[in-house]
């Protein structure tokens, strides 16, 4: 198998718990089987790369409202914010690791987590607001160059 | 054309009517043109594989709440549950087959419908709760091996 | 690089502002780097190809209700319709072009915008209701033939 056939790039667009899970499950599974995996984290998908203590606050009423996105949510069955906790509990009972743990496993397995530069600018985030161990911020062109060399490309 | 170029794998993550439709339209179109098509049904995307009479009930208040997902919905314009019925009626007038019919056509055309084992565990579903004619439950590793051999991979 | 490796097909299923943006950012970035890019606009993703003055009105109460989709929305943080305006303002301050402008750039760069025939039928739209410069309506089979020749396929 050539190098091209053994790469996967996932555009992680969503920060919803029920989409972050498949992002990381696919990433860690691929890396476990020797694939070179890159997660390009853009739009709402940048939120899971924030340090937990960093909140989007903004310097005006509009960016301040983005702060609502600080709270974890499900795309469906959110139940006013209780859905994510319920889903985490059900998963825990079945020994499915939470996303934070899968993210750490991903980093250990060599998965590249790349934040989107444009999204960082829009959200007013700097590199210091993001967790350790991730890649330098990338633009869309770099993400696309990566996808051209990948056998599996997904938008999640 | 090599075997690799003639395969399609769709990760069917959503059970929303407006996403189930493209899942099955793409699957049946591909199979009609001779592609080997696999639908890996995971998360909310497992619901369309349930037998209609099987409801998620759960053995505690949390899994019981998942039962809300028994009702069909649209991601958008759901109108408190009336949206799906409206959309079905509009589609029927234009001779667009409903998803259940497309699913039966897909099975006749040899499309492989594979339920995700982990999701079945989380939802408390067994093989007997799912419709006939589908594949044995798969894990993420098997889904990924399939994607590596596919020329078209989509997450819907 | 062969012709096959230099093509990208995006199934533009969503008309939500926060998904239209990545659709066009990826399309224009790809085209800038010499890729042959096709956007297959289906379901809610057909709305951005409507002429602004064309509204979905329908000839009965059901298709009339689809008219609600005339209003721009975000998948998340919609804030009763104010979210899109806020997001546009924040983007404007950071010199991120609005989708309409990116769409014009895409057309200039040779990106093919193809409306889905079935969706047009369901919405009651004719070719005259859509903007200039786009392709003739396509069916799913044509979209799939395009994907088979593409190195990057995404469903957004």
């Amino acid at each position: 198998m050539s190098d091209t056939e053994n790469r996967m790039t996932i555009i992680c667009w969503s920060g919803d718990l029920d989409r972050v899970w498949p992002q990381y499950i696919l990433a860690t599974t691929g890396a476990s089987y020797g694939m070179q995996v890159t997660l390009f984290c853009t739009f709402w998908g940048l939120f899971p790369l924030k340090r937990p203590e960093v909140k989007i606050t903004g310097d005006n009423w509009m960016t301040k409202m983005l702060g609502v996105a600080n709270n974890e949510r499900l795309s469906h069955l959110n139940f006013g914010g209780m859905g994510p906790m319920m889903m985490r509990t059900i998963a825990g009972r079945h020994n499915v690791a939470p996303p934070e743990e899968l993210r750490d496993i991903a980093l250990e397995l060599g998965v590249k987590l790349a934040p989107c530069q444009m999204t960082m600018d829009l959200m007013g985030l700097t590199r210091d607001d993001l967790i350790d161990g991730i890649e330098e911020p990338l633009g869309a062109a770099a993400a696309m160059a990566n996808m051209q060399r990948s056998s599996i490309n997904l938008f999640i």
Side-chain angles (χ1 to χ4, degrees), chain A:
Chain A
M1 192 181 292
S2 78
D3 190 52
T4 306
E5 289 174 324
N6 215 14
R7 274 175 197 276
M8 175 165 62
T9 302
I10 301 177
I11 303 184
C12 297
W13 169 85
S14 176
D16 291 347
L17 181 61
D18 49 351
R19 284 183 179 261
V20 171
W21 240 311
Q23 288 164 4
Y24 284 123
I25 290 172
L26 290 170
T28 51
T29 304
S32 300
Y33 285 86
M35 295 192 91
Q36 294 191 46
V37 181
T38 301
L39 304 187
F40 180 66
C41 301
T42 187
F43 279 76
W44 316 112
L46 184 65
F47 282 80
L49 297 192
K50 269 192 310 140
R51 290 181 191 281
E53 69 273 17
V54 172
K55 301 294 178 195
I56 308 283
T57 52
D59 52 4
N60 59 64
W61 66 273
M62 276 189 293
T63 43
K64 264 189 225 305
M65 291 190 80
L66 280 176
V68 176
N70 288 318
N71 299 320
E72 191 166 67
R73 68 191 283 281
L74 286 174
S75 67
H76 182 191
L77 303 184
N78 194 46
F79 294 126
M82 283 190 61
M85 180 275 285
M86 286 162 51
M87 196 66 81
R88 282 173 175 273
T89 307
I90 295 172
R93 286 194 191 151
H94 290 86
N95 299 315
V96 176
E100 300 79 8
E101 203 174 307
L102 286 170
R103 189 183 62 197
D104 290 345
I105 294 170
L107 287 170
E108 279 167 34
L109 288 168
V111 171
K112 292 182 180 176
L113 303 187
C116 167
Q117 181 68 63
M118 191 192 81
T119 307
M120 290 173 64
D121 293 345
L122 289 175
M123 306 281 184
L125 294 172
T126 66
R127 179 65 190 79
D128 288 341
D129 295 322
L130 306 179
I131 59 171
D132 292 328
I134 65 174
E135 305 295 302
E136 289 303 304
L138 290 186
M144 189 146 305
N146 222 66
M147 286 194 278
Q148 280 187 308
R149 293 186 299 156
S150 299
S151 53
I152 303 178
N153 291 307
L154 298 170
F155 183 98
I156 304 181

PDB file of all heavy atoms in Angstrom, chain A residues 122-139:
ATOM      1  N   LEU A 122     -11.457  34.632  14.028  1.00  0.00           N
ATOM      2  CA  LEU A 122     -12.865  35.021  14.218  1.00  0.00           C
ATOM      3  C   LEU A 122     -13.282  34.943  15.681  1.00  0.00           C
ATOM      4  O   LEU A 122     -14.051  35.767  16.165  1.00  0.00           O
ATOM      5  CB  LEU A 122     -13.789  34.121  13.386  1.00  0.00           C
ATOM      6  CG  LEU A 122     -13.768  34.309  11.874  1.00  0.00           C
ATOM      7  CD1 LEU A 122     -14.654  33.263  11.200  1.00  0.00           C
ATOM      8  CD2 LEU A 122     -14.238  35.707  11.487  1.00  0.00           C
ATOM      9  N   MET A 123     -12.793  33.920  16.389  1.00  0.00           N
ATOM     10  CA  MET A 123     -13.183  33.716  17.783  1.00  0.00           C
ATOM     11  C   MET A 123     -12.307  34.533  18.741  1.00  0.00           C
ATOM     12  O   MET A 123     -12.547  34.524  19.949  1.00  0.00           O
ATOM     13  CB  MET A 123     -13.049  32.231  18.173  1.00  0.00           C
ATOM     14  CG  MET A 123     -13.784  31.255  17.276  1.00  0.00           C
ATOM     15  SD  MET A 123     -15.549  31.196  17.639  1.00  0.00           S
ATOM     16  CE  MET A 123     -16.112  29.896  16.518  1.00  0.00           C
ATOM     17  N   GLY A 124     -11.283  35.158  18.204  1.00  0.00           N
ATOM     18  CA  GLY A 124     -10.391  35.933  19.064  1.00  0.00           C
ATOM     19  C   GLY A 124      -9.508  35.062  19.939  1.00  0.00           C
ATOM     20  O   GLY A 124      -9.172  35.429  21.060  1.00  0.00           O
ATOM     21  N   LEU A 125      -9.130  33.896  19.437  1.00  0.00           N
ATOM     22  CA  LEU A 125      -8.292  32.967  20.211  1.00  0.00           C
ATOM     23  C   LEU A 125      -6.854  32.992  19.693  1.00  0.00           C
ATOM     24  O   LEU A 125      -6.615  33.126  18.491  1.00  0.00           O
ATOM     25  CB  LEU A 125      -8.830  31.536  20.094  1.00  0.00           C
ATOM     26  CG  LEU A 125     -10.196  31.255  20.726  1.00  0.00           C
ATOM     27  CD1 LEU A 125     -10.668  29.851  20.351  1.00  0.00           C
ATOM     28  CD2 LEU A 125     -10.119  31.384  22.246  1.00  0.00           C
ATOM     29  N   THR A 126      -5.898  32.866  20.610  1.00  0.00           N
ATOM     30  CA  THR A 126      -4.493  32.756  20.211  1.00  0.00           C
ATOM     31  C   THR A 126      -4.013  31.337  20.527  1.00  0.00           C
ATOM     32  O   THR A 126      -4.699  30.566  21.206  1.00  0.00           O
ATOM     33  CB  THR A 126      -3.606  33.758  20.982  1.00  0.00           C
ATOM     34  OG1 THR A 126      -3.621  33.384  22.364  1.00  0.00           O
ATOM     35  CG2 THR A 126      -4.130  35.175  20.816  1.00  0.00           C
ATOM     36  N   ARG A 127      -2.801  31.026  20.050  1.00  0.00           N
ATOM     37  CA  ARG A 127      -2.245  29.696  20.260  1.00  0.00           C
ATOM     38  C   ARG A 127      -2.211  29.315  21.735  1.00  0.00           C
ATOM     39  O   ARG A 127      -2.410  28.146  22.080  1.00  0.00           O
ATOM     40  CB  ARG A 127      -0.846  29.625  19.639  1.00  0.00           C
ATOM     41  CG  ARG A 127      -0.141  28.307  19.792  1.00  0.00           C
ATOM     42  CD  ARG A 127      -0.857  27.202  19.038  1.00  0.00           C
ATOM     43  NE  ARG A 127      -0.307  25.876  19.364  1.00  0.00           N
ATOM     44  CZ  ARG A 127      -0.602  25.207  20.471  1.00  0.00           C
ATOM     45  NH1 ARG A 127      -1.425  25.711  21.377  1.00  0.00           N
ATOM     46  NH2 ARG A 127      -0.089  24.012  20.672  1.00  0.00           N
ATOM     47  N   ASP A 128      -1.997  30.317  22.616  1.00  0.00           N
ATOM     48  CA  ASP A 128      -1.916  30.054  24.057  1.00  0.00           C
ATOM     49  C   ASP A 128      -3.256  29.649  24.667  1.00  0.00           C
ATOM     50  O   ASP A 128      -3.312  29.113  25.782  1.00  0.00           O
ATOM     51  CB  ASP A 128      -1.404  31.298  24.802  1.00  0.00           C
ATOM     52  CG  ASP A 128       0.071  31.536  24.531  1.00  0.00           C
ATOM     53  OD1 ASP A 128       0.756  30.586  24.085  1.00  0.00           O
ATOM     54  OD2 ASP A 128       0.535  32.666  24.748  1.00  0.00           O
ATOM     55  N   ASP A 129      -4.342  29.924  23.958  1.00  0.00           N
ATOM     56  CA  ASP A 129      -5.673  29.549  24.467  1.00  0.00           C
ATOM     57  C   ASP A 129      -5.981  28.082  24.193  1.00  0.00           C
ATOM     58  O   ASP A 129      -6.979  27.555  24.695  1.00  0.00           O
ATOM     59  CB  ASP A 129      -6.757  30.406  23.802  1.00  0.00           C
ATOM     60  CG  ASP A 129      -6.640  31.876  24.169  1.00  0.00           C
ATOM     61  OD1 ASP A 129      -6.302  32.159  25.327  1.00  0.00           O
ATOM     62  OD2 ASP A 129      -6.875  32.725  23.289  1.00  0.00           O
ATOM     63  N   LEU A 130      -5.136  27.446  23.379  1.00  0.00           N
ATOM     64  CA  LEU A 130      -5.408  26.066  22.975  1.00  0.00           C
ATOM     65  C   LEU A 130      -4.547  25.089  23.774  1.00  0.00           C
ATOM     66  O   LEU A 130      -3.525  25.462  24.347  1.00  0.00           O
ATOM     67  CB  LEU A 130      -5.171  25.900  21.474  1.00  0.00           C
ATOM     68  CG  LEU A 130      -5.920  26.888  20.558  1.00  0.00           C
ATOM     69  CD1 LEU A 130      -5.588  26.624  19.092  1.00  0.00           C
ATOM     70  CD2 LEU A 130      -7.421  26.823  20.795  1.00  0.00           C
ATOM     71  N   ILE A 131      -4.973  23.837  23.794  1.00  0.00           N
ATOM     72  CA  ILE A 131      -4.263  22.816  24.566  1.00  0.00           C
ATOM     73  C   ILE A 131      -2.882  22.521  23.983  1.00  0.00           C
ATOM     74  O   ILE A 131      -2.585  22.895  22.848  1.00  0.00           O
ATOM     75  CB  ILE A 131      -5.074  21.499  24.618  1.00  0.00           C
ATOM     76  CG1 ILE A 131      -5.325  20.981  23.184  1.00  0.00           C
ATOM     77  CG2 ILE A 131      -6.389  21.706  25.356  1.00  0.00           C
ATOM     78  CD1 ILE A 131      -5.910  19.589  23.135  1.00  0.00           C
ATOM     79  N   ASP A 132      -2.053  21.874  24.790  1.00  0.00           N
ATOM     80  CA  ASP A 132      -0.704  21.501  24.352  1.00  0.00           C
ATOM     81  C   ASP A 132      -0.742  20.286  23.430  1.00  0.00           C
ATOM     82  O   ASP A 132      -1.701  19.525  23.419  1.00  0.00           O
ATOM     83  CB  ASP A 132       0.162  21.147  25.574  1.00  0.00           C
ATOM     84  CG  ASP A 132       0.438  22.372  26.432  1.00  0.00           C
ATOM     85  OD1 ASP A 132       0.526  23.489  25.873  1.00  0.00           O
ATOM     86  OD2 ASP A 132       0.540  22.197  27.664  1.00  0.00           O
ATOM     87  N   GLY A 133       0.332  20.127  22.681  1.00  0.00           N
ATOM     88  CA  GLY A 133       0.494  18.892  21.911  1.00  0.00           C
ATOM     89  C   GLY A 133      -0.089  18.929  20.522  1.00  0.00           C
ATOM     90  O   GLY A 133       0.052  17.957  19.770  1.00  0.00           O
ATOM     91  N   ILE A 134      -0.776  20.029  20.196  1.00  0.00           N
ATOM     92  CA  ILE A 134      -1.392  20.096  18.869  1.00  0.00           C
ATOM     93  C   ILE A 134      -0.463  20.787  17.868  1.00  0.00           C
ATOM     94  O   ILE A 134       0.589  21.309  18.235  1.00  0.00           O
ATOM     95  CB  ILE A 134      -2.762  20.808  18.923  1.00  0.00           C
ATOM     96  CG1 ILE A 134      -2.596  22.272  19.337  1.00  0.00           C
ATOM     97  CG2 ILE A 134      -3.703  20.075  19.868  1.00  0.00           C
ATOM     98  CD1 ILE A 134      -3.896  23.070  19.263  1.00  0.00           C
ATOM     99  N   GLU A 135      -0.855  20.767  16.600  1.00  0.00           N
ATOM    100  CA  GLU A 135      -0.058  21.360  15.524  1.00  0.00           C
ATOM    101  C   GLU A 135      -0.170  22.885  15.517  1.00  0.00           C
ATOM    102  O   GLU A 135      -1.033  23.457  16.175  1.00  0.00           O
ATOM    103  CB  GLU A 135      -0.566  20.855  14.160  1.00  0.00           C
ATOM    104  CG  GLU A 135      -0.605  19.352  14.023  1.00  0.00           C
ATOM    105  CD  GLU A 135       0.778  18.739  14.087  1.00  0.00           C
ATOM    106  OE1 GLU A 135       1.611  19.120  13.255  1.00  0.00           O
ATOM    107  OE2 GLU A 135       1.014  17.898  14.973  1.00  0.00           O
ATOM    108  N   GLU A 136       0.680  23.496  14.696  1.00  0.00           N
ATOM    109  CA  GLU A 136       0.546  24.929  14.466  1.00  0.00           C
ATOM    110  C   GLU A 136      -0.743  25.171  13.662  1.00  0.00           C
ATOM    111  O   GLU A 136      -1.151  24.306  12.891  1.00  0.00           O
ATOM    112  CB  GLU A 136       1.748  25.450  13.670  1.00  0.00           C
ATOM    113  CG  GLU A 136       3.032  25.485  14.466  1.00  0.00           C
ATOM    114  CD  GLU A 136       2.900  26.337  15.727  1.00  0.00           C
ATOM    115  OE1 GLU A 136       2.533  27.522  15.595  1.00  0.00           O
ATOM    116  OE2 GLU A 136       3.125  25.812  16.839  1.00  0.00           O
ATOM    117  N   PRO A 137      -1.371  26.340  13.816  1.00  0.00           N
ATOM    118  CA  PRO A 137      -2.592  26.644  13.052  1.00  0.00           C
ATOM    119  C   PRO A 137      -2.346  26.536  11.543  1.00  0.00           C
ATOM    120  O   PRO A 137      -1.282  26.904  11.050  1.00  0.00           O
ATOM    121  CB  PRO A 137      -2.896  28.087  13.455  1.00  0.00           C
ATOM    122  CG  PRO A 137      -2.293  28.250  14.800  1.00  0.00           C
ATOM    123  CD  PRO A 137      -1.049  27.413  14.781  1.00  0.00           C
ATOM    124  N   LEU A 138      -3.356  26.013  10.848  1.00  0.00           N
ATOM    125  CA  LEU A 138      -3.269  25.823   9.398  1.00  0.00           C
ATOM    126  C   LEU A 138      -4.362  26.624   8.688  1.00  0.00           C
ATOM    127  O   LEU A 138      -5.394  26.927   9.267  1.00  0.00           O
ATOM    128  CB  LEU A 138      -3.490  24.353   9.031  1.00  0.00           C
ATOM    129  CG  LEU A 138      -2.442  23.320   9.381  1.00  0.00           C
ATOM    130  CD1 LEU A 138      -2.855  21.971   8.775  1.00  0.00           C
ATOM    131  CD2 LEU A 138      -1.072  23.729   8.853  1.00  0.00           C
ATOM    132  N   GLY A 139      -4.134  26.889   7.412  1.00  0.00           N
ATOM    133  CA  GLY A 139      -5.158  27.494   6.569  1.00  0.00           C
ATOM    134  C   GLY A 139      -5.824  26.425   5.729  1.00  0.00           C
ATOM    135  O   GLY A 139      -5.420  25.261   5.732  1.00  0.00           O
TER     136      GLY A 139
END
